[in-house]
Amino acid sequence: HVQLVESGGGSVQAGGSLRLACAAYGFVVDDYVMAWFRQAPGKEREGVAAIDSDETESYADSVKGRFTISKDNAENTLYLRMNSLKPEDAGMYFCAAESASDYEDTEEFSYWGQGTQVTVS
């Protein structure tokens, strides 16, 4: 049974930092494409960062240089380090996963967590 559980959200002042975590159950993160998405009230969900099974990272332009995505294979956990936070970074952050082989075909994510809230004031 695949499950993703996010944590680490909270309320910070602009310029502050947070580290989000996404614990994965039922699969090995090393074999999956993992990503972080966010959704602010009244806005569409947007991709923030992704990391491939070969550790290749990609970022939305709006977070480049401020956010870092990483995986800890020993802990089977995905992280998102967020520095220099801005009010526009606020929203519900979700992690997502798809097997590397399936992602090559679909470029879609089958597995999603419940989200963790980030507030920036």
Side-chain angles (χ1 to χ4, degrees):
H1 176 64
V2 172
Q3 189 177 15
L4 298 169
V5 180
E6 300 98 333
S7 62
S11 182
V12 296
Q13 292 187 336
S17 297
L18 283 173
R19 189 181 75 157
L20 306 183
C22 173
Y25 303 93
F27 69 97
V28 177
V29 298
D30 199 29
D31 298 332
Y32 276 60
V33 178
M34 306 285 294
W36 287 97
F37 288 78
R38 68 186 179 191
Q39 187 167 21
K43 294 187 177 181
E44 292 187 356
R45 187 175 62 195
E46 62 174 344
V48 174
I51 184 166
D52 292 347
S53 56
D54 62 359
E55 307 293 322
T56 300
E57 302 168 23
S58 59
Y59 298 91
D61 288 342
S62 59
V63 306
K64 281 180 181 176
R66 300 188 298 120
F67 290 12
T68 303
I69 190 170
S70 62
K71 289 190 292 185
D72 186 320
N73 293 327
E75 296 184 355
N76 215 40
T77 299
L78 176 73
Y79 293 99
L80 184 68
R81 177 67 180 180
M82 305 186 296
N83 295 328
S84 302
L85 281 161
K86 304 175 182 180
E88 53 264 43
D89 294 319
M92 186 70 79
Y93 281 70
F94 301 90
C95 71
E98 184 59 75
S99 70
S101 56
D102 287 346
Y103 189 79
E104 278 189 20
D105 294 332
T106 66
E107 295 191 350
E108 294 180 353
F109 293 92
S110 297
Y111 307 108
W112 294 83
Q114 293 298 307
T116 186
Q117 184 70 43
V118 172
T119 303
V120 185
S121 59

